[in-house]
């Protein structure tokens, strides 16, 4: 997988507070203008002061990431659809010049023992805005 452009599609969801930005989790741009997907539990079904933060384009996942740099571009977001049963949430953000280079697939297209990758900001809720890449193997498919 070519990781050189993932930073343009993988972002974080946050909330503006009087003390700054409170990061909540990872979201990613899908192949529809300004539509991001995250999990329902990240937004807690509430789009009050919800934002999407964009990583600067000069930062690449394979480079060293400076955790002391807290400068972020962010855009207001609102919930378009929220499905807490399936833990998925669609966000709308009015951003131009962003596109998703990542092919999004379905769980119907993977099998037990297939290798997949996971890209995101798993530690952003702890203040570490670091884009990470992990691989795993599908161990089971559950309805």
């Amino acid at each position: 997988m070519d990781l050189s452009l993932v930073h343009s599609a993988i972002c974080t969801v946050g909330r503006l507070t009087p003390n700054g930005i409170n990061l909540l989790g990872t979201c990613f741009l899908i192949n529809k203008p300004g539509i991001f997907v995250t999990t329902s539990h990240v937004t807690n079904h509430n789009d009050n002061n919800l934002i999407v933060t964009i990583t600067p384009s000069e930062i690449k996942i394979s480079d060293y990431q400076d955790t002391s740099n807290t400068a972020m571009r962010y855009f207001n977001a609102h919930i378009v659809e929220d499905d807490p049963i399936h833990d998925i949430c669609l966000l709308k953000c009015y951003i131009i010049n962003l596109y998703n280079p990542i092919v999004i697939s379905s769980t119907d297209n993977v099998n037990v023992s297939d290798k997949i990758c996971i890209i995101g900001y798993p530690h952003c809720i702890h203040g570490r805005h670091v884009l990470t890449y992990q691989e795993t193997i599908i161990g089971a498919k559950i309805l």
Side-chain angles (χ1 to χ4, degrees), residues 13-17 19-25 49-51 124-125:
V13 178
R15 220 175 277 290
L16 285 178
T17 71
N19 297 324
I21 296 172
N22 180 24
L23 295 176
L24 304 172
N49 296 322
L50 203 60
I51 60 166
C124 71
I125 60 173

Side-chain angles (χ1 to χ4, degrees), residues 58-123:
E58 65 272 5
I59 296 176
K60 306 288 188 258
I61 192 169
S62 59
D63 294 341
Y64 285 103
Q65 297 179 59
D66 183 359
T67 58
S68 67
N69 182 1
T70 58
M72 295 180 196
R73 285 181 27 213
Y74 66 87
F75 298 88
N76 293 330
H78 67 273
I79 295 172
V80 176
E81 289 191 41
D82 186 26
D83 182 350
I85 300 298
H86 295 100
D87 198 24
I88 192 164
C89 183
L90 296 180
L91 305 175
K92 176 71 175 173
C93 213
Y94 296 97
I95 303 174
I96 57 172
N97 299 329
L98 278 185
Y99 70 98
N100 184 355
I102 301 168
V103 175
I104 300 172
S105 189
S106 165
T107 55
D108 293 336
N109 297 332
V110 295
N111 297 305
V112 172
S113 80
D114 283 354
K115 185 188 288 188
I116 62 166
C117 70
I118 303 161
I119 303 170
Y121 294 90
H123 307 290

Side-chain angles (χ1 to χ4, degrees), residues 29-49:
L29 184 65
I30 61 173
N31 293 325
K32 294 187 182 221
I35 301 294
F36 291 82
V37 176
T38 189
T39 54
S40 187
H41 71 267
V42 162
T43 64
N44 199 25
H45 325 293
N46 176 0
D47 61 5
N48 188 33
N49 296 322

Side-chain angles (χ1 to χ4, degrees), residues 1 3 6 10 26 61 102 117-121 131-134:
M1 174 179 193
L3 297 176
V6 297
I10 311 294
T26 301
I61 192 169
I102 301 168
C117 70
I118 303 161
I119 303 170
Y121 294 90
L131 185 59
T132 65
Y133 172 90
Q134 299 173 23

